Amino acid sequence: MSLLDDVKYKLARLNVLEKIIATNVVVFIIGLLLRKYLVWFELPSNFENFIVRPWSIITYAFLHYAPLHILFNMLWLYIIGRMFLNLFSAKMAINIYFLGAMSGGVLFLLGYSLFPGFFGTNSTLVGASAAVRALLIFICAYMPNQDIRFFTFNLKLWYVGAAIVVLDMLGLFGGNAGGNLAHLGGALLGYFYAKQLVKGNDIGRGFESLVNLFSNIKLSKKGPLKTVHKNKSKVGGYTKADFNEFNTQKKIDVILDKISKSGYDSLTAEEKEFLFRAGK
């Protein structure tokens, strides 16, 4: 196996959040050589500049210029990702990650536009912190009473989430006010997403549908011919796979509800194994 094939094989085995980490690392390396060309992908603090580069509401989250900045962001993302993907789907991880980045960017723009005297002017935003915050606060809000081990004692997840939000609020009065404002935007998205999901509303479905739409458009460019495969196992317009997916999701919901009420340790060995397989 050649080196290129080995790299392709290892990349294919990464989960979706690990692929985002790999993308961030590649962009960081590019930035070391071509930083001046990446300015167009940073999120500006005023709407006039943002209008001419609307893509920056997402691309800014892939830019890191300081080694410690990308190190801590990607380390957090790796740790949170392992926990998240054991409980929830990869699609939901993508929804929360990108919506968190966008929410952080929107709050950053609003803050600088509405309170220029406090935040200043002519700033830009880079980094995945808002997106990572969204995933972290989502977990803390969805399972607030879940215990995690912290050195020699246990902490409930909502303690961790609350402490991080307080630190970000205090950071508004420091040298990185804009960055901390974006953190809070990501945290708000994660909290709202979790609380709505508890009620049975997945607010990321719209974003997911938009991504699927663009994916279908891209795939449709392959040619005018399309092969249609008829599934003979449909019942009332639904396939057997649809029913299996529905039943699996219902079982996951029941287990997650049990975790939120009684903690992860209350699960049976069978339930833990089922969650682990579903997370794959």
Side-chain angles (χ1 to χ4, degrees):
M1 180 182 290
S2 67
L3 177 61
L4 181 59
D5 290 335
D6 185 49
V7 171
K8 288 181 178 179
Y9 174 76
K10 289 181 178 179
L11 288 176
R13 291 177 60 85
L14 297 178
N15 65 49
V16 66
L17 294 179
E18 289 172 342
K19 289 178 180 177
I20 288 178
I21 292 174
T23 302
N24 274 275
V25 172
V26 170
V27 174
F28 173 74
I29 295 172
I30 293 173
L32 295 177
L33 305 172
L34 305 170
R35 178 170 177 174
K36 64 179 181 179
Y37 296 106
L38 297 181
V39 172
W40 282 90
F41 299 98
E42 299 173 2
L43 181 65
S45 60
N46 61 75
F47 281 101
E48 290 79 8
N49 290 336
F50 169 69
I51 289 173
V52 299
R53 38 178 162 161
W55 55 83
S56 63
I57 196 70
I58 291 178
T59 58
Y60 86 88
F62 289 90
L63 300 179
H64 300 83
Y65 298 133
L68 288 179
H69 191 196
I70 187 172
L71 174 63
F72 284 112
N73 272 346
M74 296 304 102
L75 185 60
W76 269 107
L77 182 56
Y78 179 75
I79 295 171
I80 296 167
R82 289 173 64 87
M83 182 186 301
F84 188 98
L85 293 175
N86 273 333
L87 302 173
F88 305 97
S89 69
K91 287 185 177 180
M92 186 174 291
I94 288 293
N95 292 343
I96 297 172
Y97 185 88
F98 283 100
L99 287 174
M102 294 168 67
S103 297
V106 168
L107 194 58
F108 173 81
L109 283 166
L110 288 174
Y112 275 83
S113 297
L114 298 176
F115 307 103
F118 182 82
F119 291 102
T121 56
N122 298 324
S123 181
T124 58
L125 180 66
V126 297
S129 301
V132 176
R133 284 291 193 285
L135 286 170
L136 174 60
I137 299 302
F138 170 88
I139 294 176
C140 294
Y142 194 87
M143 301 181 295
N145 295 316
Q146 172 64 33
D147 288 327
I148 60 169
R149 195 70 175 173
F150 186 74
F151 293 106
T152 59
F153 55 92
N154 292 335
L155 282 178
K156 293 193 180 298
L157 276 176
W158 80 265
Y159 294 165
V160 177
I164 289 173
V165 170
V166 169
L167 288 175
D168 286 335
M169 293 179 69
L170 293 175
L172 294 175
F173 303 95
N176 186 29
N180 282 281
L181 184 63
H183 297 174
L184 291 172
L188 284 171
L189 183 282
Y191 180 84
F192 183 68
Y193 201 121
K195 292 305 179 182
Q196 287 299 306
L197 191 64
V198 170
K199 298 177 182 178
N201 303 320
D202 185 350
I203 63 173
R205 286 293 176 87
F207 177 78
E208 184 179 324
S209 299
L210 184 63
V211 171
N212 291 337
L213 175 62
F214 280 102
S215 299
N216 291 335
I217 291 174
K218 183 177 180 180
L219 292 173
S220 67
K221 292 181 179 179
K222 290 184 177 180
L225 298 179
K226 182 170 67 174
T227 303
V228 177
H229 300 276
K230 294 184 177 180
N231 193 321
K232 296 181 180 180
S233 62
K234 284 190 174 182
V235 179
Y238 294 93
T239 65
K240 183 178 179 180
D242 292 330
F243 286 112
N244 289 339
E245 182 179 355
F246 176 79
N247 290 331
T248 298
Q249 186 58 51
K250 292 298 291 183
K251 187 172 181 179
I252 291 174
D253 290 341
V254 170
I255 294 175
L256 292 178
D257 184 60
K258 184 177 179 180
I259 292 175
S260 66
K261 292 179 179 178
S262 307
Y264 182 78
D265 292 336
S266 66
L267 299 184
T268 65
E270 181 183 357
E271 289 171 332
K272 291 179 180 178
E273 177 64 21
F274 177 81
L275 267 186
F276 179 78
R277 291 198 308 269
K280 293 287 187 180

